[in-house]
Amino acid sequence: MTYQAALPRVMKIGAGASKELGAVLKMLGLSRPFLVTDRFLLESGRVEQLLHGLSADAIEARVFSDTVPEPTVASIENALADLLRGNHDCVIGFGGGSPMDSAKAIAVLAAFGGECRDYKVPHIQDISGLPVIAIPTTAGTGSEATRFTIVTDEKNDEKMLCTGLAYLPVAALIDYELTLTMPPRLTADTGIDALTHAIEAYVSRRANPFSDSFALFAMRAIAPNLYRVWADPQDRAAREAMMFGSTQAGIAFSNASVALVHGMSRPIGAHFHVPHGLSNAMLLPAVTAWSAPGALPRYAECARAMGVADESEGDQGAVGKLIDELVRLNTELKVPSPSAYGIDGERWHALLPTMAEQALASGSPSNNPVIPTPSEIEAIYRQVWAAA
């Protein structure tokens, strides 16, 4: 049996790594970047700092800063139109998952045309478009090291998963200092997102020895340090561990897959505009408890890697402690239930059949240790709602 592994060609990791952007572009033979970011990073001066560093290397970049928190077809089309007004040889995604995912989609559409919908699964886009350089500013999505991007079709409230090697950045600059100003809510949501990536990659039906090594490392890094960065945003050692753990988790699920949590999370984001990491957090304890019988030894290893069970603990006991820890994590980090978040209950329950259908259509649930039926997915959605 063989399996495929893919990583960015270049990864610069550590404090100040983002300052090496110009050198990385030159190493790759690139000189006309289109920088995709968000309004906050522009207004906070972070983009100016990045551009100043590029100027020192005699490189000028055009900036698009109107990305939206969850990329939509309209936002991608706006950015693409701006890119096509210039003569660019690469796209830089600077920010959290949204700017990086936007950059990936733009890079493919710029080269091959068409619409975002043309590229959603089951289509696989392996032939690369414009080169993408990713610079994450949150420790969560792992998008800097994955072959996926997500775009919401706002006309029918569908989050479209696009996959293939074309979405894998050629370079990633992983600078934990960019995360030191993250607010607590964003820290928590992106951190649990990264933990979900690691857990799902490890229990996935497509897990392999390569992805396993990264998933276990990520869990060891994230589990203890997420509490630390929540309590003290300036804890540099914990921030560094979270950033590297997030990238490791991204590598893990990019080379294995995510599973039921992500499949069920995307419709919540599409219909109710819940941030992706937060919707994952809402689902993680319940989905883990439901899925655990299908891969008890694997979930037990997750508990041991996270430090909530020791090696002498039996699998059943370890999994029990894992589920308890995920519930405690949500409590400590103040993760709201869907009802506490303010989602309308009548609309939530009316949309359950549609959300279950969209979750299954994404393909992710087929990687789960136990493959759910639509009615089982609906039951989990009801349980998550009732956990208020």
Side-chain angles (χ1 to χ4, degrees), residues 92-317:
I92 299 168
F94 178 52
S98 295
M100 289 190 289
D101 277 4
S102 297
K104 294 177 178 186
I106 294 161
V108 168
L109 289 169
F112 301 107
E115 300 178 351
C116 291
R117 177 163 290 278
D118 300 332
Y119 296 90
K120 76 168 191 171
V121 293
H123 178 84
I124 297 176
Q125 183 65 33
D126 283 334
I127 301 175
S128 297
L130 292 178
V132 174
I133 296 87
I135 308 174
T137 60
T138 65
T141 69
S143 188
E144 69 274 8
T146 74
R147 53 186 178 86
F148 307 106
T149 195
I150 306 286
V151 179
T152 298
D153 184 345
E154 61 269 51
K155 292 181 180 178
N156 62 0
D157 288 331
E158 178 189 3
K159 275 199 170 187
M160 300 181 293
L161 172 64
C162 304
T163 183
L165 293 176
Y167 302 106
L168 182 67
V170 296
L173 281 59
I174 302 155
D175 184 349
Y176 77 87
E177 291 186 327
L178 297 175
T179 70
L180 291 172
T181 57
M182 286 173 62
R185 182 74 269 147
L186 184 61
T187 294
D189 296 346
T190 57
I192 298 177
D193 188 20
L195 182 62
T196 305
H197 292 154
I199 292 173
E200 290 210 296
Y202 193 71
V203 303
S204 166
R205 290 170 176 261
R206 298 175 61 188
N208 56 72
F210 182 83
S211 63
D212 283 353
S213 62
F214 287 97
L216 290 169
F217 182 100
M219 284 183 267
R220 294 185 187 108
I222 295 167
N225 287 295
L226 184 47
Y227 288 107
R228 287 176 56 181
V229 293
W230 170 261
D232 180 9
Q234 295 300 310
D235 187 331
R236 293 176 67 89
R239 285 290 193 190
E240 183 173 21
M242 286 296 300
M243 190 65 147
F244 195 36
S246 171
T247 298
Q248 297 272 351
I251 293 170
F253 88 82
S254 183
N255 289 285
S257 64
V258 286
L260 182 56
V261 173
H262 276 74
M264 291 181 64
S265 176
R266 294 184 193 111
I268 296 175
H271 291 284
F272 302 104
H273 309 293
V274 179
H276 174 69
L278 180 56
S279 58
N280 276 349
M282 291 173 174
L283 292 161
L284 183 58
V287 172
T288 299
W290 186 85
S291 304
L296 205 66
R298 284 255 154 182
Y299 280 106
E301 282 304 310
C302 293
R304 296 178 187 116
M306 290 169 59
V308 298
D310 58 37
E311 294 298 326
S312 64
E313 184 88 44
D315 288 352
Q316 190 73 54

Side-chain angles (χ1 to χ4, degrees), residues 34-97:
F34 183 72
L35 194 151
V36 178
T37 187
D38 60 36
R39 184 62 57 176
F40 171 78
L41 289 170
L42 181 70
E43 293 175 352
S44 67
R46 290 287 182 84
V47 171
E48 183 60 35
Q49 292 172 5
L50 207 61
L51 295 177
H52 181 74
L54 287 178
S55 295
D57 288 299
I59 296 174
E60 292 187 8
R62 288 181 63 241
V63 177
F64 180 86
S65 62
D66 289 331
T67 60
V68 295
E70 303 285 330
T72 64
V73 169
S75 71
I76 296 298
E77 289 176 348
N78 288 340
L80 177 63
D82 198 15
L83 179 147
L84 294 176
R85 294 186 187 102
N87 178 27
H88 299 287
D89 60 4
C90 62
V91 183
I92 299 168
F94 178 52

